[in-house]
Amino acid sequence: MEPASQIYLFTGENTYALRSEKKKWITEFQRKYGPENCVIVPSSIDYAALSDEVGASPFIAEKRLVIVEGIPKGTTEDVDRLAGAIHPQCILHFLEPKPDKRLGTTKSLLKTATVKEFAHLAPKVMRQWLMDLAQKNGKQIDATALERLIITVGEDEDQLSTEIEKLALGSSAPIITLNDVERLAVPGGDQEIWLLTGLLVHGDPSPALATVRGLLLRGEDPQAIWAILLWFLRQVASTAAGVASGERSAPALAQKLQVPFPTARTLLPAMDRVDLSALRRVLREAIDADMGLKTGKYRSSADAQQEILALLDRLVV
């Protein structure tokens, strides 16, 4: 089946771009054809009601736009009937960032509709987009601040755009600096954990310690942070042992020593800075501390966390 020129499916994980596209269509349609010819309906609408919406003719205008925020539940036949019911002057948009391609409705829609995918920006394009966004908000952003922002927030354009706007408001200088990002940016999802391990890889104990305290303030379980730090230390030790034996290939380290490939790739550049005698000392202290937590030597209950907090500080520093 050839895609219908009147039916569109906007999809992709770049929800910022998807939302911007939706806004552009609504703004242009309302300007040209009036707000009465622009209808937005939820995904809970049934296909009979949706067929009525798309079957209606425009009100004293050339075009009518119907936007469905999601893909309604139904059957393949429902989608096929919808394509036959649409008015010649109506345009129908479905907006669904992550359509479930196992469903018959999605499969049928992918064949019927013109699909436009909004993928995450490539790294180089993302950096330029962030600089342009900062400029649009009346600021510039220096290179180190830009990199730390991406490490902190991740690659979600929605959250990055929000953080740029916040940084532009929170910075009193014309240029957003590394200090502004460290002071104001909020990590996205699991990014704070990756930020912590990244700081440890690069030998930055002070911001790493601040990150640990930030996690604790936001309610993260000290035991969970301790487990993450032990896991990280185990990967460092395995990678260092592999490098000491002459292995400097991330795929080989992943295969031979069971170090996850992304972790091995991240750790390898830092291995030349690792002091093996210091690493052995840290490993012994971490093992002793972990045994102390398991045997009750150190307290880690919710009402007595001072000792595990002190152990976290020692392990990070």
Side-chain angles (χ1 to χ4, degrees), residues 140-149 152 163 166-173 175-186 195 199 206-207 210-211:
Q140 292 182 317
I141 181 167
D142 71 33
T144 54
L146 184 63
E147 294 307 314
R148 179 56 61 84
L149 178 64
T152 302
E163 293 301 319
K166 183 174 69 179
L167 288 164
L169 288 170
S171 174
S172 56
I175 299 176
I176 297 168
T177 65
L178 177 61
N179 180 60
D180 293 324
V181 174
E182 290 177 343
R183 185 169 52 90
L184 297 170
V186 175
L195 172 61
L199 291 169
S206 296
T211 301

mmCIF file of all heavy atoms in Angstrom, residues 140-149 152 163 166-173 175-186 195 199 206-207 210-211:
data_model
loop_
_atom_site.group_PDB
_atom_site.id
_atom_site.type_symbol
_atom_site.label_atom_id
_atom_site.label_comp_id
_atom_site.label_asym_id
_atom_site.label_seq_id
_atom_site.Cartn_x
_atom_site.Cartn_y
_atom_site.Cartn_z
ATOM 1 N N GLN A 140 26.177 32.993 25.500
ATOM 2 C CA GLN A 140 27.075 32.039 24.873
ATOM 3 C C GLN A 140 27.405 30.981 25.920
ATOM 4 O O GLN A 140 27.188 31.200 27.110
ATOM 5 C CB GLN A 140 28.349 32.732 24.394
ATOM 6 C CG GLN A 140 28.115 33.692 23.231
ATOM 7 C CD GLN A 140 29.405 34.327 22.754
ATOM 8 O OE1 GLN A 140 30.233 34.734 23.565
ATOM 9 N NE2 GLN A 140 29.589 34.404 21.446
ATOM 10 N N ILE A 141 27.914 29.833 25.473
ATOM 11 C CA ILE A 141 28.305 28.793 26.421
ATOM 12 C C ILE A 141 29.705 28.320 26.047
ATOM 13 O O ILE A 141 29.977 28.044 24.876
ATOM 14 C CB ILE A 141 27.289 27.620 26.427
ATOM 15 C CG1 ILE A 141 27.706 26.539 27.446
ATOM 16 C CG2 ILE A 141 27.078 27.032 25.049
ATOM 17 C CD1 ILE A 141 26.615 25.511 27.736
ATOM 18 N N ASP A 142 30.605 28.284 27.036
ATOM 19 C CA ASP A 142 31.979 27.898 26.694
ATOM 20 C C ASP A 142 32.074 26.376 26.523
ATOM 21 O O ASP A 142 31.185 25.625 26.919
ATOM 22 C CB ASP A 142 33.007 28.447 27.687
ATOM 23 C CG ASP A 142 32.967 27.787 29.060
ATOM 24 O OD1 ASP A 142 32.664 26.590 29.140
ATOM 25 O OD2 ASP A 142 33.257 28.482 30.048
ATOM 26 N N ALA A 143 33.159 25.943 25.882
ATOM 27 C CA ALA A 143 33.291 24.539 25.465
ATOM 28 C C ALA A 143 33.257 23.574 26.641
ATOM 29 O O ALA A 143 32.604 22.521 26.579
ATOM 30 C CB ALA A 143 34.582 24.362 24.668
ATOM 31 N N THR A 144 33.949 23.916 27.738
ATOM 32 C CA THR A 144 33.969 23.000 28.888
ATOM 33 C C THR A 144 32.588 22.893 29.541
ATOM 34 O O THR A 144 32.182 21.820 29.977
ATOM 35 C CB THR A 144 34.995 23.463 29.946
ATOM 36 O OG1 THR A 144 34.726 24.829 30.295
ATOM 37 C CG2 THR A 144 36.414 23.360 29.410
ATOM 38 N N ALA A 145 31.882 24.000 29.584
ATOM 39 C CA ALA A 145 30.526 23.992 30.145
ATOM 40 C C ALA A 145 29.600 23.155 29.270
ATOM 41 O O ALA A 145 28.745 22.409 29.776
ATOM 42 C CB ALA A 145 29.996 25.417 30.261
ATOM 43 N N LEU A 146 29.763 23.268 27.964
ATOM 44 C CA LEU A 146 28.941 22.514 27.025
ATOM 45 C C LEU A 146 29.135 21.003 27.210
ATOM 46 O O LEU A 146 28.165 20.243 27.286
ATOM 47 C CB LEU A 146 29.296 22.918 25.587
ATOM 48 C CG LEU A 146 28.474 22.287 24.465
ATOM 49 C CD1 LEU A 146 27.019 22.702 24.573
ATOM 50 C CD2 LEU A 146 29.038 22.690 23.114
ATOM 51 N N GLU A 147 30.397 20.588 27.315
ATOM 52 C CA GLU A 147 30.671 19.166 27.485
ATOM 53 C C GLU A 147 30.147 18.648 28.819
ATOM 54 O O GLU A 147 29.571 17.566 28.897
ATOM 55 C CB GLU A 147 32.180 18.892 27.376
ATOM 56 C CG GLU A 147 32.756 19.161 26.000
ATOM 57 C CD GLU A 147 32.012 18.440 24.885
ATOM 58 O OE1 GLU A 147 31.724 17.238 25.045
ATOM 59 O OE2 GLU A 147 31.709 19.080 23.861
ATOM 60 N N ARG A 148 30.331 19.428 29.886
ATOM 61 C CA ARG A 148 29.837 18.996 31.194
ATOM 62 C C ARG A 148 28.309 18.934 31.202
ATOM 63 O O ARG A 148 27.729 18.041 31.840
ATOM 64 C CB ARG A 148 30.348 19.937 32.289
ATOM 65 C CG ARG A 148 29.863 19.570 33.711
ATOM 66 C CD ARG A 148 30.216 18.145 34.124
ATOM 67 N NE ARG A 148 31.639 17.904 34.151
ATOM 68 C CZ ARG A 148 32.425 18.201 35.178
ATOM 69 N NH1 ARG A 148 31.921 18.747 36.272
ATOM 70 N NH2 ARG A 148 33.717 17.939 35.118
ATOM 71 N N LEU A 149 27.663 19.843 30.489
ATOM 72 C CA LEU A 149 26.201 19.829 30.426
ATOM 73 C C LEU A 149 25.710 18.531 29.792
ATOM 74 O O LEU A 149 24.784 17.891 30.305
ATOM 75 C CB LEU A 149 25.692 21.027 29.616
ATOM 76 C CG LEU A 149 24.172 21.111 29.423
ATOM 77 C CD1 LEU A 149 23.470 21.311 30.763
ATOM 78 C CD2 LEU A 149 23.814 22.237 28.465
ATOM 79 N N THR A 152 26.299 15.653 32.142
ATOM 80 C CA THR A 152 25.400 15.720 33.293
ATOM 81 C C THR A 152 23.967 15.348 32.936
ATOM 82 O O THR A 152 23.328 14.548 33.620
ATOM 83 C CB THR A 152 25.413 17.143 33.896
ATOM 84 O OG1 THR A 152 26.745 17.481 34.272
ATOM 85 C CG2 THR A 152 24.503 17.239 35.123
ATOM 86 N N GLU A 163 17.437 22.897 30.401
ATOM 87 C CA GLU A 163 18.618 23.270 31.179
ATOM 88 C C GLU A 163 19.314 24.503 30.593
ATOM 89 O O GLU A 163 19.792 25.359 31.344
ATOM 90 C CB GLU A 163 19.597 22.094 31.265
ATOM 91 C CG GLU A 163 19.086 20.918 32.072
ATOM 92 C CD GLU A 163 18.758 21.287 33.510
ATOM 93 O OE1 GLU A 163 19.521 22.045 34.141
ATOM 94 O OE2 GLU A 163 17.714 20.832 34.009
ATOM 95 N N LYS A 166 17.380 27.482 31.684
ATOM 96 C CA LYS A 166 17.616 27.736 33.111
ATOM 97 C C LYS A 166 19.003 28.330 33.335
ATOM 98 O O LYS A 166 19.168 29.277 34.123
ATOM 99 C CB LYS A 166 17.468 26.437 33.898
ATOM 100 C CG LYS A 166 17.623 26.600 35.405
ATOM 101 C CD LYS A 166 17.319 25.308 36.132
ATOM 102 C CE LYS A 166 18.375 24.273 35.868
ATOM 103 N NZ LYS A 166 18.126 23.004 36.590
ATOM 104 N N LEU A 167 20.002 27.797 32.642
ATOM 105 C CA LEU A 167 21.363 28.317 32.775
ATOM 106 C C LEU A 167 21.455 29.757 32.284
ATOM 107 O O LEU A 167 22.164 30.579 32.877
ATOM 108 C CB LEU A 167 22.339 27.434 31.994
ATOM 109 C CG LEU A 167 22.626 26.052 32.592
ATOM 110 C CD1 LEU A 167 23.283 25.146 31.563
ATOM 111 C CD2 LEU A 167 23.510 26.175 33.828
ATOM 112 N N ALA A 168 20.746 30.054 31.214
ATOM 113 C CA ALA A 168 20.750 31.431 30.689
ATOM 114 C C ALA A 168 20.157 32.400 31.702
ATOM 115 O O ALA A 168 20.646 33.528 31.869
ATOM 116 C CB ALA A 168 19.980 31.493 29.370
ATOM 117 N N LEU A 169 19.134 31.957 32.400
ATOM 118 C CA LEU A 169 18.520 32.806 33.432
ATOM 119 C C LEU A 169 19.395 32.893 34.679
ATOM 120 O O LEU A 169 19.480 33.941 35.327
ATOM 121 C CB LEU A 169 17.143 32.252 33.811
ATOM 122 C CG LEU A 169 16.009 32.417 32.792
ATOM 123 C CD1 LEU A 169 14.795 31.611 33.216
ATOM 124 C CD2 LEU A 169 15.644 33.886 32.633
ATOM 125 N N GLY A 170 20.050 31.772 35.016
ATOM 126 C CA GLY A 170 20.813 31.715 36.266
ATOM 127 C C GLY A 170 22.206 32.292 36.198
ATOM 128 O O GLY A 170 22.830 32.555 37.234
ATOM 129 N N SER A 171 22.720 32.510 34.983
ATOM 130 C CA SER A 171 24.072 33.048 34.835
ATOM 131 C C SER A 171 24.019 34.573 34.712
ATOM 132 O O SER A 171 23.289 35.107 33.875
ATOM 133 C CB SER A 171 24.740 32.449 33.596
ATOM 134 O OG SER A 171 25.993 33.055 33.372
ATOM 135 N N SER A 172 24.790 35.249 35.533
ATOM 136 C CA SER A 172 24.796 36.715 35.491
ATOM 137 C C SER A 172 25.756 37.256 34.434
ATOM 138 O O SER A 172 25.686 38.417 34.057
ATOM 139 C CB SER A 172 25.193 37.273 36.869
ATOM 140 O OG SER A 172 26.452 36.743 37.266
ATOM 141 N N ALA A 173 26.646 36.397 33.934
ATOM 142 C CA ALA A 173 27.631 36.811 32.927
ATOM 143 C C ALA A 173 27.095 36.512 31.527
ATOM 144 O O ALA A 173 26.142 35.747 31.364
ATOM 145 C CB ALA A 173 28.947 36.076 33.167
ATOM 146 N N ILE A 175 28.493 34.735 29.337
ATOM 147 C CA ILE A 175 28.893 33.391 28.927
ATOM 148 C C ILE A 175 28.562 32.388 30.038
ATOM 149 O O ILE A 175 28.902 32.605 31.203
ATOM 150 C CB ILE A 175 30.406 33.330 28.612
ATOM 151 C CG1 ILE A 175 30.749 34.282 27.457
ATOM 152 C CG2 ILE A 175 30.831 31.913 28.265
ATOM 153 C CD1 ILE A 175 32.227 34.352 27.144
ATOM 154 N N ILE A 176 27.878 31.295 29.667
ATOM 155 C CA ILE A 176 27.590 30.222 30.618
ATOM 156 C C ILE A 176 28.879 29.432 30.840
ATOM 157 O O ILE A 176 29.509 28.968 29.895
ATOM 158 C CB ILE A 176 26.483 29.291 30.066
ATOM 159 C CG1 ILE A 176 25.171 30.069 29.896
ATOM 160 C CG2 ILE A 176 26.263 28.099 30.998
ATOM 161 C CD1 ILE A 176 24.114 29.313 29.101
ATOM 162 N N THR A 177 29.267 29.289 32.103
ATOM 163 C CA THR A 177 30.552 28.667 32.437
ATOM 164 C C THR A 177 30.370 27.281 33.038
ATOM 165 O O THR A 177 29.246 26.867 33.372
ATOM 166 C CB THR A 177 31.327 29.540 33.438
ATOM 167 O OG1 THR A 177 30.582 29.565 34.679
ATOM 168 C CG2 THR A 177 31.512 30.956 32.922
ATOM 169 N N LEU A 178 31.497 26.585 33.211
ATOM 170 C CA LEU A 178 31.490 25.272 33.857
ATOM 171 C C LEU A 178 30.901 25.372 35.255
ATOM 172 O O LEU A 178 30.125 24.508 35.686
ATOM 173 C CB LEU A 178 32.918 24.731 33.920
ATOM 174 C CG LEU A 178 33.117 23.387 34.635
ATOM 175 C CD1 LEU A 178 32.338 22.273 33.951
ATOM 176 C CD2 LEU A 178 34.596 23.036 34.699
ATOM 177 N N ASN A 179 31.233 26.428 35.978
ATOM 178 C CA ASN A 179 30.708 26.626 37.327
ATOM 179 C C ASN A 179 29.186 26.749 37.313
ATOM 180 O O ASN A 179 28.506 26.214 38.191
ATOM 181 C CB ASN A 179 31.326 27.876 37.950
ATOM 182 C CG ASN A 179 30.798 28.121 39.360
ATOM 183 O OD1 ASN A 179 30.959 27.296 40.248
ATOM 184 N ND2 ASN A 179 30.148 29.254 39.552
ATOM 185 N N ASP A 180 28.628 27.430 36.293
ATOM 186 C CA ASP A 180 27.172 27.557 36.173
ATOM 187 C C ASP A 180 26.523 26.186 36.007
ATOM 188 O O ASP A 180 25.500 25.890 36.633
ATOM 189 C CB ASP A 180 26.805 28.435 34.973
ATOM 190 C CG ASP A 180 27.235 29.885 35.147
ATOM 191 O OD1 ASP A 180 27.164 30.395 36.277
ATOM 192 O OD2 ASP A 180 27.642 30.505 34.141
ATOM 193 N N VAL A 181 27.127 25.352 35.159
ATOM 194 C CA VAL A 181 26.568 24.021 34.902
ATOM 195 C C VAL A 181 26.632 23.169 36.163
ATOM 196 O O VAL A 181 25.651 22.512 36.540
ATOM 197 C CB VAL A 181 27.320 23.324 33.744
ATOM 198 C CG1 VAL A 181 26.836 21.885 33.581
ATOM 199 C CG2 VAL A 181 27.121 24.094 32.448
ATOM 200 N N GLU A 182 27.773 23.194 36.859
ATOM 201 C CA GLU A 182 27.917 22.385 38.074
ATOM 202 C C GLU A 182 26.963 22.854 39.167
ATOM 203 O O GLU A 182 26.506 22.066 39.990
ATOM 204 C CB GLU A 182 29.357 22.450 38.569
ATOM 205 C CG GLU A 182 30.329 21.706 37.649
ATOM 206 C CD GLU A 182 31.771 21.819 38.102
ATOM 207 O OE1 GLU A 182 32.064 22.727 38.920
ATOM 208 O OE2 GLU A 182 32.605 21.024 37.643
ATOM 209 N N ARG A 183 26.662 24.147 39.154
ATOM 210 C CA ARG A 183 25.802 24.731 40.192
ATOM 211 C C ARG A 183 24.319 24.528 39.894
ATOM 212 O O ARG A 183 23.520 24.322 40.817
ATOM 213 C CB ARG A 183 26.130 26.219 40.282
ATOM 214 C CG ARG A 183 25.429 27.000 41.372
ATOM 215 C CD ARG A 183 26.064 28.388 41.517
ATOM 216 N NE ARG A 183 26.156 29.085 40.259
ATOM 217 C CZ ARG A 183 25.199 29.893 39.769
ATOM 218 N NH1 ARG A 183 24.097 30.077 40.460
ATOM 219 N NH2 ARG A 183 25.369 30.495 38.617
ATOM 220 N N LEU A 184 23.933 24.543 38.621
ATOM 221 C CA LEU A 184 22.517 24.635 38.289
ATOM 222 C C LEU A 184 21.936 23.439 37.539
ATOM 223 O O LEU A 184 20.734 23.183 37.634
ATOM 224 C CB LEU A 184 22.258 25.903 37.447
ATOM 225 C CG LEU A 184 22.559 27.246 38.118
ATOM 226 C CD1 LEU A 184 22.486 28.370 37.096
ATOM 227 C CD2 LEU A 184 21.582 27.497 39.258
ATOM 228 N N ALA A 185 22.750 22.726 36.759
ATOM 229 C CA ALA A 185 22.195 21.669 35.895
ATOM 230 C C ALA A 185 21.747 20.469 36.717
ATOM 231 O O ALA A 185 22.420 20.053 37.662
ATOM 232 C CB ALA A 185 23.217 21.246 34.851
ATOM 233 N N VAL A 186 20.611 19.912 36.343
ATOM 234 C CA VAL A 186 20.049 18.745 37.032
ATOM 235 C C VAL A 186 20.265 17.515 36.165
ATOM 236 O O VAL A 186 19.860 17.490 35.003
ATOM 237 C CB VAL A 186 18.533 18.929 37.286
ATOM 238 C CG1 VAL A 186 17.934 17.670 37.895
ATOM 239 C CG2 VAL A 186 18.293 20.128 38.182
ATOM 240 N N LEU A 195 27.774 10.297 35.460
ATOM 241 C CA LEU A 195 28.590 11.482 35.745
ATOM 242 C C LEU A 195 29.579 11.177 36.866
ATOM 243 O O LEU A 195 30.764 11.520 36.782
ATOM 244 C CB LEU A 195 27.680 12.653 36.151
ATOM 245 C CG LEU A 195 28.383 13.914 36.655
ATOM 246 C CD1 LEU A 195 29.292 14.495 35.578
ATOM 247 C CD2 LEU A 195 27.361 14.948 37.113
ATOM 248 N N LEU A 199 33.600 11.265 36.458
ATOM 249 C CA LEU A 199 34.457 12.137 37.259
ATOM 250 C C LEU A 199 35.565 11.337 37.935
ATOM 251 O O LEU A 199 36.711 11.788 38.033
ATOM 252 C CB LEU A 199 33.621 12.872 38.312
ATOM 253 C CG LEU A 199 32.647 13.924 37.774
ATOM 254 C CD1 LEU A 199 31.695 14.378 38.876
ATOM 255 C CD2 LEU A 199 33.390 15.123 37.186
ATOM 256 N N SER A 206 36.762 16.139 44.014
ATOM 257 C CA SER A 206 35.872 17.147 44.623
ATOM 258 C C SER A 206 34.492 17.160 43.983
ATOM 259 O O SER A 206 33.474 17.028 44.680
ATOM 260 C CB SER A 206 36.514 18.530 44.566
ATOM 261 O OG SER A 206 37.692 18.554 45.346
ATOM 262 N N PRO A 207 34.376 17.306 42.631
ATOM 263 C CA PRO A 207 33.035 17.238 42.041
ATOM 264 C C PRO A 207 32.393 15.860 42.194
ATOM 265 O O PRO A 207 31.173 15.753 42.270
ATOM 266 C CB PRO A 207 33.257 17.597 40.568
ATOM 267 C CG PRO A 207 34.711 17.504 40.324
ATOM 268 C CD PRO A 207 35.390 17.703 41.632
ATOM 269 N N ALA A 210 30.835 15.872 45.503
ATOM 270 C CA ALA A 210 29.630 16.714 45.444
ATOM 271 C C ALA A 210 28.485 15.956 44.780
ATOM 272 O O ALA A 210 27.319 16.089 45.177
ATOM 273 C CB ALA A 210 29.927 18.005 44.683
ATOM 274 N N THR A 211 28.819 15.149 43.771
ATOM 275 C CA THR A 211 27.795 14.362 43.087
ATOM 276 C C THR A 211 27.208 13.312 44.013
ATOM 277 O O THR A 211 25.995 13.097 44.048
ATOM 278 C CB THR A 211 28.388 13.681 41.833
ATOM 279 O OG1 THR A 211 28.898 14.689 40.953
ATOM 280 C CG2 THR A 211 27.345 12.862 41.101
#
